[in-house]
Amino acid sequence: MRMPHDHDSFTPHTRRATSSDVARRAGTSRATVSYVMNNTPGITISEATRERVLKAARDLKYVPHLAARSLAAGRSNIVLLVLPDAPMTLYMLRFIQSLHRSMRQRSMILHAYFAGADDVDAAEGVGTMAYTVLALRTLPVHQQEAFRSRGLRVFAPNATVEQDRLTIVDEVHAECGSAATRFLVDRGHERLGYAAYDDPRRDPFSHPRRTAVLKTAESLGLPEPVMVRVGADNPDPEVIVTLAEAGVTGIITYNDDVALILLRLVREAELDETFEVIGGSNLPYTQLMYPNLSSVDRDTDGLADAIVSQIRGEPVAIDVASLVRVIDRS
């Protein structure tokens, strides 16, 4: 068999492309290839050089060797996403997809890991496979300490290390509560209610939303919104009676599932009062509901990119309000 003499004639039938092949094709150093492929912060590469390297990588079908990269960096590129031991919502699945996409673009690997709040052995078995732990909800301090004792960084909304605190998560949920409140007020409602699950495992992000609803209503000179909780399986019909007797006309809900429960209770109660309900996750089925359900949507891609940037130590400059929008279907 005749072997090619020109290094640029590399084909996948010979061997796997290396960074040296990409550097040779692009006319740069291996270090430059590494900077471009890793999107290394603090390193200035001209756009022309960057495009040349990326084109060479595409032409050669170059895929960075993740294990070798981890060894060279002295740490793993694996991010362990710690999820609550609770029912998984469609929104959370959508957000995990956004995290996966954002990390994949940066040659990072996302692993999901389920741990209950009382799981004292949450870090057992993790070993050194991961370098970073990511929690999107409050992570018990004892679990944070267990992960850190294994040399892992812990990013969470309540991280005990300030620079690893994911404040943007609570800020986005707070903006959702505030945006929903303003929407109903603009629609003419002055007596508001807020509905969440009666099982805190189902609404781990309700606190910042509820707090924002209360603060926004107060800032607008409105009475304090009525807070109610509903069951997912056997919701209590008295919830609607409570809201009606308090004079509530606009109801903000934790998510679209809670909104669906509220709308069902409203139909079954057959009250003279009219309620307007707004959801909180803009799931696909809300477009098919009757009466039409307005909802609060979040830019999961934008939020994921901001979180990944913080994990990588890159500057995060983003307007939280730009990640939230109300879908008006009234």
Side-chain angles (χ1 to χ4, degrees):
M1 178 183 294
R2 178 179 177 275
M3 298 299 292
H5 295 291
D6 184 353
H7 289 295
D8 283 351
S9 63
F10 173 87
T11 69
H13 299 293
T14 55
R15 59 180 174 82
R16 173 176 174 164
T18 67
S19 59
S20 296
D21 296 313
V22 176
R24 192 177 299 112
R25 171 73 67 93
T28 66
S29 66
R30 287 183 61 190
T32 299
V33 172
S34 176
Y35 294 147
V36 172
M37 300 307 295
N38 291 321
N39 197 24
T40 305
I43 301 296
T44 301
I45 304 290
S46 71
E47 277 304 310
T49 299
R50 184 180 298 277
E51 283 301 318
R52 203 161 64 246
V53 169
L54 293 176
K55 183 178 186 305
R58 289 194 298 269
D59 291 345
L60 297 176
K61 296 181 174 58
Y62 170 66
V63 179
H65 196 294
L66 299 181
R69 175 180 294 177
S70 297
L71 288 172
R75 59 180 174 83
S76 171
N77 64 332
I78 297 175
V79 176
L80 199 68
L81 175 62
V82 180
L83 295 167
D85 186 15
M88 184 69 68
T89 64
L90 288 176
Y91 168 78
M92 183 58 72
L93 289 173
R94 187 176 74 183
F95 184 59
I96 290 174
Q97 288 179 329
S98 293
L99 278 173
H100 171 70
R101 176 202 56 77
S102 184
M103 290 185 185
R104 185 177 180 182
Q105 289 177 347
R106 296 164 173 82
S107 299
M108 300 164 72
I109 299 173
L110 181 67
H111 277 239
Y113 185 80
F114 291 87
D118 298 326
D119 187 355
V120 295
D121 298 322
E124 289 296 330
V126 173
T128 57
M129 68 173 246
Y131 170 70
T132 302
V133 171
L134 170 63
L136 302 176
R137 47 88 176 176
T138 297
L139 191 66
V141 173
H142 71 270
Q143 290 185 1
Q144 295 187 43
E145 292 174 348
F147 285 122
R148 288 202 180 93
S149 70
R150 287 162 172 75
L152 309 179
R153 290 189 71 180
V154 178
F155 289 84
N158 67 322
T160 54
V161 176
E162 185 174 357
Q163 67 183 28
D164 296 342
R165 198 168 297 151
L166 290 176
T167 58
I168 191 170
V169 174
D170 282 355
E171 289 171 355
V172 166
H173 284 285
E175 179 61 28
C176 288
S178 182
T181 303
R182 294 192 301 269
F183 172 78
L184 288 179
V185 172
D186 289 344
R187 295 269 299 158
H189 299 280
E190 296 184 355
R191 194 68 174 107
L192 305 176
Y194 176 82
Y197 283 117
D198 59 3
D199 181 355
R201 295 181 313 144
R202 290 182 175 270
D203 58 357
F205 309 110
S206 187
H207 177 70
R209 289 193 178 217
R210 182 174 64 251
T211 301
V213 168
L214 292 171
K215 288 184 176 179
T216 304
E218 181 182 16
S219 69
L220 296 174
L222 300 178
E224 181 175 314
V226 179
M227 302 288 158
V228 297
R229 291 190 174 274
V230 298
D233 300 318
N234 297 299
D236 186 355
E238 286 300 309
V239 168
I240 289 299
V241 176
T242 299
L243 293 170
E245 290 179 346
V248 170
T249 60
I251 307 173
I252 301 151
T253 60
Y254 170 67
N255 62 16
D256 291 348
D257 294 329
V258 174
L260 184 61
I261 294 172
L262 262 293
L263 290 174
R264 169 191 155 190
L265 293 178
V266 169
R267 285 197 307 271
E268 293 176 350
E270 297 182 347
L271 299 175
D272 293 333
E273 290 82 355
T274 300
F275 297 95
E276 182 168 6
V277 179
I278 180 170
S281 39
N282 191 39
L283 298 178
Y285 66 74
T286 58
Q287 303 176 42
L288 306 175
M289 291 174 61
Y290 182 82
N292 295 333
L293 178 69
S294 297
S295 189
V296 180
D297 195 18
R298 283 154 286 172
D299 179 1
T300 56
D301 287 343
L303 178 57
D305 286 341
I307 290 174
V308 174
S309 292
Q310 182 174 345
I311 290 174
R312 289 171 56 84
E314 300 168 353
V316 180
I318 191 167
D319 177 13
V320 173
S322 69
L323 300 177
V324 176
R325 64 182 181 131
V326 173
I327 307 299
D328 185 357
R329 298 192 179 96
S330 56

